[in-house]
Amino acid sequence: TDEQWLLLSQTGTNHLMVISGLHISLVAWLAYKLSCFVFRFLPFVCLVMPAPRVAAFAALVAAVAYGALAGFSLPVQRALVMVCCLMSGVLLLRQTAPFNSLCVALLLVLLIDPLAPASAGFWLSFLAVSMLLLSLNHQEQTPLSYVEKLRGMVRGQAFLFVGLLPVMLLFFQQVSLMAPLVNLVAIPFIGLVVVPLSLLSLLASLASPTLFQFLITLPDFLLDVFVATLSILTNELGFLLLRFPVIPTWLLVLLFVVIILNVFQKKWVSRLAFLPLVALGFSLRPEKPDPGDVFLDILDVGQGLSVVVQTHNHLLVYDTGPAYSPRFNAGSGIIMPFLSSQNLGKPDMIVVSHGDNDHAGGLGS
């Protein structure tokens, strides 16, 4: 529902509820590990082809099959290209650096879809993988204890939060400070428990609808618990969701450069250099009209009208545009994003001139 999607967005967990690169990579990883384990007990097969090579092929098949279930949308295609680049190194018996594979994947994605950089998902996908690879570079290569593995997971979330900050500010004008901690638990919970149980239920449906109905109740219950927990966290820690006005491009570019310079540093003292810049971003507030003056924004809602009137202390919305369909209207699709991008908050008053759809269609949202 819209309410659940808003809850996921506010906690930074909406990426877990779409067919993202995370899910496809998890499916590929599970297929790789399982195949590698099984084929090592089949020496006659390993004489023909080494187990890692067979496992890489199995991982590709599993990733493509999962992508087919998802309908091969653009984010799915991006993830499949990344998996193919990584596994092709194993299939070709080539030792490739992860960043080289990532660059090849980036090139292929741009060849398939030259307009991909226009979407937030493109930047989030490649920046997320880059940040995770950088966090691994800061990790010791010796066998890790459970405490060190947990520390590595925390480090990975910290790198993701900092690295994705400019993109989140650019496209969404909001950052959830609770997202790193929530994702630390939510990612393994959804990826290693809920998704495999859901896929297992799907396979069981081929054998018995009754067995499917029995098995699907468990991931359904777990998702209910997950959403209820997020709701409690949002109610108690809602102040950790920070909203920003539109930030100047120069500040976003500067923030990105400083972040890149700092993630290569292993000393925490040098990483603190970008904190004044973040503080500058926090201090930015949209310009307000002087007392007695007014800002008037006329929004393009197609047929109909919507006007945002801002005085020094008050905000008024006059007419809310049309509802184009049950799933899209000018209120949720145009007016609210505008108010959010300008950090204007909720209107003090809404005036609807008359009840026709082209003037009142967005009122419900």
Side-chain angles (χ1 to χ4, degrees):
T1 64
D2 291 341
E3 291 77 14
Q4 289 172 331
W5 188 252
L6 179 63
L7 180 66
L8 294 167
S9 300
Q10 290 175 341
T11 52
T13 54
N14 48 345
H15 66 100
L16 297 173
M17 292 298 132
V18 297
I19 305 296
S20 64
L22 174 66
H23 290 165
I24 289 181
S25 59
L26 277 171
V27 168
W29 176 78
L30 287 170
Y32 183 91
K33 289 293 185 182
L34 183 62
S35 301
C36 225
F37 176 78
V38 170
F39 279 100
R40 278 175 179 154
F41 292 97
L42 303 173
F44 59 91
V45 176
C46 294
L47 288 173
V48 179
M49 185 180 292
R53 235 173 149 184
V54 177
F57 181 75
L60 283 176
V61 171
V64 171
Y66 192 64
L69 285 175
F72 290 121
S73 62
L74 286 176
V76 172
Q77 292 176 29
R78 274 199 303 268
L80 285 176
V81 168
M82 289 187 185
V83 171
C84 288
C85 288
L86 186 65
M87 292 302 163
S88 62
V90 181
L91 288 171
L92 297 173
L93 302 178
R94 292 180 63 88
Q95 190 72 26
T96 56
F99 269 110
N100 289 350
S101 298
L102 185 64
C103 289
V104 173
L106 176 63
L107 176 62
L108 290 175
V109 167
L110 291 175
L111 288 173
I112 295 171
D113 180 19
L115 296 179
S119 69
F122 171 85
W123 297 99
L124 292 172
S125 297
F126 282 97
L127 272 177
V129 176
S130 301
M131 289 298 126
L132 288 174
L133 292 176
L134 285 172
S135 73
L136 290 175
N137 288 342
H138 286 250
Q139 189 170 287
E140 301 295 333
Q141 300 303 315
T142 55
L144 302 177
S145 65
Y146 286 110
V147 174
E148 290 168 330
K149 287 180 180 178
L150 179 60
R151 191 181 303 156
M153 291 173 62
V154 173
R155 186 191 301 110
Q157 284 299 319
F159 271 68
L160 281 174
F161 177 78
V162 174
L164 298 182
L165 188 59
V167 180
M168 298 298 293
L169 294 177
L170 175 63
F171 285 99
F172 307 111
Q173 289 89 44
Q174 67 178 31
V175 175
S176 173
L177 296 182
M178 73 176 91
L181 293 177
V182 172
N183 277 294
L184 198 60
V185 178
I187 288 176
F189 177 74
I190 297 294
L192 298 179
V193 180
V194 175
V195 171
L197 283 173
S198 302
L199 292 175
L200 182 64
S201 304
L202 180 65
L203 290 174
S205 69
L206 300 175
S208 167
T210 306
L211 181 60
F212 165 75
Q213 291 177 3
F214 172 74
L215 290 176
I216 201 65
T217 54
L218 182 55
D220 182 53
F221 170 74
L222 293 175
L223 280 175
D224 285 340
V225 172
F226 177 68
V227 172
T229 305
L230 292 183
S231 181
I232 293 171
L233 288 173
T234 304
N235 291 334
E236 297 296 327
L237 303 174
F239 62 91
L240 294 178
L241 178 66
L242 306 178
R243 290 186 171 89
F244 295 83
V246 176
I247 294 179
T249 305
W250 66 266
L251 182 58
L252 285 173
V253 172
L254 185 58
L255 177 60
F256 183 74
V257 170
V258 173
I259 287 173
I260 292 299
L261 292 175
N262 276 271
V263 294
F264 285 101
Q265 301 291 330
K266 293 191 177 183
K267 294 181 179 179
W268 280 102
V269 176
S270 60
R271 291 182 188 170
L272 298 178
F274 78 94
L275 286 181
L277 190 62
V278 176
L280 177 61
F282 274 90
S283 66
L284 287 175
R285 288 294 179 268
E287 181 187 1
K288 279 189 173 184
D290 293 328
D293 290 343
V294 64
F295 287 168
L296 194 72
D297 289 284
I298 301 176
L299 305 185
D300 184 1
V301 294
Q303 182 182 356
L305 188 67
S306 181
V307 181
V308 176
V309 185
Q310 184 185 5
T311 65
H312 187 70
N313 292 317
H314 296 94
L315 180 68
L316 177 143
V317 173
Y318 179 85
D319 279 352
T320 58
Y324 295 97
S325 73
R327 297 184 61 85
F328 182 79
N329 62 74
S332 61
I334 299 172
I335 302 172
M336 288 169 61
F338 172 78
L339 297 178
S340 175
S341 71
Q342 301 301 312
N343 201 31
L344 293 178
K346 295 182 179 179
D348 298 294
M349 182 177 290
I350 299 176
V351 176
V352 178
S353 59
H354 58 287
D356 290 351
N357 174 61
D358 56 345
H359 291 257
L363 180 60
S365 296

